[in-house]
């Protein structure tokens, strides 16, 4: 599995999860599985799965907050649903805050994936 590969390579993992119903459960179970294998977790990227509207924004915000709190891991980015033909500009903007060098180094991360 990818978890076994990450453990064998001693690389920190970045967990990517859809942002919607079931996100919190999915992320917490995945974090537990990774940590049980001794894999350091750098953080979580939440990936949008459909058109976003303001009515459901609070759910996405709450999911991110709860994942950080209960999972003891940072949400590194929230990637919006791009749709067909949206191009890469929105993806670039969503991933801009990520410090990929720090993630690859992994040395700055503690046992729970926090700096």
């Amino acid at each position: 599995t990818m978890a076994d590969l990450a453990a064998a390579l001693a690389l920190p993992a970045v967990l990517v999860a859809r942002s919607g119903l079931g996100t919190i459960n999915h992320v917490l179970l995945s974090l537990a599985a990774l940590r049980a294998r001794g894999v350091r977790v750098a953080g979580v990227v939440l990936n949008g799965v459909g058109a976003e509207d303001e009515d459901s924004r609070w759910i996405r915000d709450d999911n991110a907050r709860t994942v950080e709190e209960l999972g003891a891991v940072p949400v590194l980015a929230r990637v919006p649903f791009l749709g067909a033909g949206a191009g890469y500009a929105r993806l670039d903007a969503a991933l801009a805050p990520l410090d990929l060098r720090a993630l690859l180094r992994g040395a700055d991360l503690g046992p729970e994936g926090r700096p």
Side-chain angles (χ1 to χ4, degrees):
T1 66
M2 293 306 292
D4 294 327
L5 179 62
L9 296 174
L11 293 172
V14 174
L15 179 62
V16 179
R18 65 180 180 78
S19 182
L21 183 63
T23 296
I24 297 166
N25 186 60
H26 168 234
V27 170
L28 295 180
L29 288 172
S30 297
L31 289 172
L34 288 166
R35 290 171 175 158
R37 287 180 172 86
V39 175
R40 291 177 297 151
V41 180
V44 175
V45 173
L46 295 176
N47 192 32
V49 294
E52 298 178 354
D53 59 22
E54 285 303 311
D55 292 338
S56 63
R57 182 178 187 82
W58 70 271
I59 295 171
R60 294 185 310 276
D61 292 345
D62 187 63
N63 280 350
R65 260 191 313 276
T66 304
V67 161
E68 287 187 328
E69 183 180 319
L70 297 180
V73 65
V75 171
L76 302 170
R78 293 167 59 177
V79 180
F81 176 73
L82 297 177
Y88 292 104
R90 289 179 63 200
L91 180 60
D92 287 344
L95 297 178
L98 287 177
D99 182 351
L100 295 178
R101 288 189 181 125
L103 291 177
L104 291 173
R105 266 195 321 271
D108 301 331
L109 303 173
E112 295 298 318
R114 291 215 178 256

